[in-house]
Amino acid sequence: MRIAWDISHQEFTIEDHYYFSILKKELKNRNVEVFELEELNSILRENVDVLVLNYPEKSFDSNDLQVVQKFLAGGGKVIVLGYYKNEDHIADTINSLTKHFGLLLRADSVYDPVNNHNGDELFVVTSKVFHLNENVNKVLFPCAASVEILNEKATRLVEAEKTAKSSLGAEPVLMARLQFGEGFLILGGTCVFWDNYSITKYDNLAFSLNLLLR
């Protein structure tokens, strides 16, 4: 398996040792190749299984959309991850791509005064993982925005508990999945559930590996 971790849209890179060394090490231990992608359209020329867009700060244009559509249609998986409150206009940037698939990242924050980590209501903990949940009971989704599903073919992948709320009063869907052609597009409301802090909590490591490898 080969995972392309995009940096062409100014994403956080997996090569950042401080944030992602644990995830990178776990993938290496499983003989999974993960590499930085400096040109998005090169995924159509290389043997790539998964494309990760981890906090993209540069908007996507029509050419980018065509590349992603072709990659998905051919059986690729694309994982797009944002952050809460539209920080750095992250929701706007992500939506320049995902709106074409009927998925949107809201400019809100999801908080839970009951199911959280260490009393921090923005560190949402949930057991509602509906897919890719082998060996997963609970996950931590810190500083997450909610995902709006406009495409009836899309499904909820992760949802906050009933005690959670959105700052905009929206449904607290944390991650959604859409089949497009032979592939899957996944949109998540936070990019830090698999950083070096969160990945060691609850079942975040198992979920992160399921997300990438299954």
Side-chain angles (χ1 to χ4, degrees), residues 49-111:
D49 301 289
V50 181
L51 169 66
V52 178
L53 306 170
N54 197 61
Y55 200 90
E57 296 186 67
K58 179 181 175 182
S59 293
F60 297 87
D61 58 26
S62 58
N63 290 330
D64 296 326
L65 173 61
Q66 290 178 12
V67 169
V68 170
Q69 287 175 329
K70 288 180 181 178
F71 181 68
L72 289 168
K77 180 191 291 184
V78 178
I79 301 170
V80 190
L81 301 174
Y83 206 50
Y84 74 156
K85 295 182 178 179
N86 201 16
E87 292 283 344
D88 297 326
H89 299 285
I90 186 63
D92 300 327
T93 301
I94 283 176
N95 292 340
S96 68
L97 174 66
T98 62
K99 67 181 180 182
H100 299 284
F101 300 92
L103 295 175
L104 294 174
L105 186 68
R106 293 192 180 96
D108 65 350
S109 58
V110 177
Y111 61 97

Side-chain angles (χ1 to χ4, degrees), residues 90-145:
I90 186 63
D92 300 327
T93 301
I94 283 176
N95 292 340
S96 68
L97 174 66
T98 62
K99 67 181 180 182
H100 299 284
F101 300 92
L103 295 175
L104 294 174
L105 186 68
R106 293 192 180 96
D108 65 350
S109 58
V110 177
Y111 61 97
D112 194 327
V114 178
N115 293 283
N116 62 56
H117 181 66
N118 281 349
D120 189 332
E121 62 183 21
L122 287 172
F123 277 46
V124 174
V125 175
T126 182
S127 61
K128 293 187 175 183
V129 183
F130 302 120
H131 307 282
L132 306 175
N133 53 9
E134 184 177 349
N135 298 318
V136 176
N137 293 309
K138 288 186 177 182
V139 290
L140 167 64
F141 267 51
C143 301

Side-chain angles (χ1 to χ4, degrees), residues 16-65:
D16 189 323
H17 186 83
Y18 184 82
Y19 288 105
F20 298 112
S21 60
I22 295 175
L23 177 59
K24 183 181 177 182
K25 180 181 178 181
E26 291 292 338
L27 291 171
K28 183 178 180 180
N29 289 343
R30 289 162 175 78
N31 297 314
V32 176
E33 181 184 359
V34 56
F35 63 97
E36 289 184 334
L37 189 71
E38 297 183 0
E39 183 182 350
L40 188 62
N41 62 16
S42 65
I43 60 172
L44 302 178
R45 301 191 300 268
E46 298 191 43
N47 182 24
V48 175
D49 301 289
V50 181
L51 169 66
V52 178
L53 306 170
N54 197 61
Y55 200 90
E57 296 186 67
K58 179 181 175 182
S59 293
F60 297 87
D61 58 26
S62 58
N63 290 330
D64 296 326
L65 173 61

